Amino acid sequence: MFYRISGWSAIVVSLLALYPSYQTGALSVIGFYLGLFALLLSSFASHTGNLIYYRSVFVFSVLNVFFVNDGTCVMLLAENNDWVYIGSMYGIFIVISSICGFLVNKDSFLMNMAPKAKRAR
């Protein structure tokens, strides 16, 4: 039950992070980090093998970072904006999403292998 509540709260947080990401200034940074927090929370919630939480939050986070966020939108790369800032934010997103993806894949792999190990005995 705890994982279900944390999974749905991660989805809600990732949806709520879209609004401050659309704003200018520091609110877009807050929305970016709220999306990353929701990604971490969803990887925790997907610990039991229910991957729908992580996958949905990952999709919302990708939309947040690459299309909605005022500071990291892909369209800003075409203009002469601060590429160092955008690249560092993309780097943070890639690192966090890679770590969360690894944790979710490891947990789902172990959940799938556990019944087979019990049958072998």
Side-chain angles (χ1 to χ4, degrees):
M1 184 69 178
F2 180 71
Y3 292 114
R4 182 176 291 169
I5 292 171
S6 62
W8 283 108
S9 64
I11 292 173
V12 169
V13 167
S14 68
L15 285 173
L16 291 177
L18 293 174
Y19 178 71
S21 294
Y22 188 69
Q23 306 297 320
T24 59
L27 284 176
S28 66
V29 177
I30 291 171
F32 176 81
Y33 285 116
L34 275 175
L36 290 182
F37 175 71
L39 200 60
L40 288 170
L41 189 61
S42 69
S43 68
F44 172 73
S46 297
H47 177 71
T48 58
N50 195 357
L51 299 178
I52 190 71
Y53 303 126
Y54 177 74
R55 289 179 181 163
S56 60
V57 171
F58 182 75
V59 168
F60 290 136
S61 295
V62 166
L63 289 174
N64 184 359
V65 171
F66 292 113
F67 300 110
V68 175
N69 198 310
D70 183 59
T72 62
C73 185
V74 175
M75 294 300 192
L76 295 175
L77 292 175
E79 302 169 3
N80 289 329
N81 285 320
D82 190 11
W83 288 9
V84 174
Y85 171 76
I86 296 171
S88 66
M89 295 299 259
Y90 286 167
I92 292 170
F93 176 73
I94 289 170
V95 167
I96 295 294
S97 62
S98 298
I99 290 171
C100 292
F102 173 74
L103 291 174
V104 168
N105 286 336
K106 181 188 72 127
D107 288 339
S108 66
F109 176 74
L110 291 177
M111 289 291 281
N112 289 334
M113 293 303 289
K116 293 178 184 177
K118 288 180 183 177
R119 279 187 263 148
R121 291 183 186 171

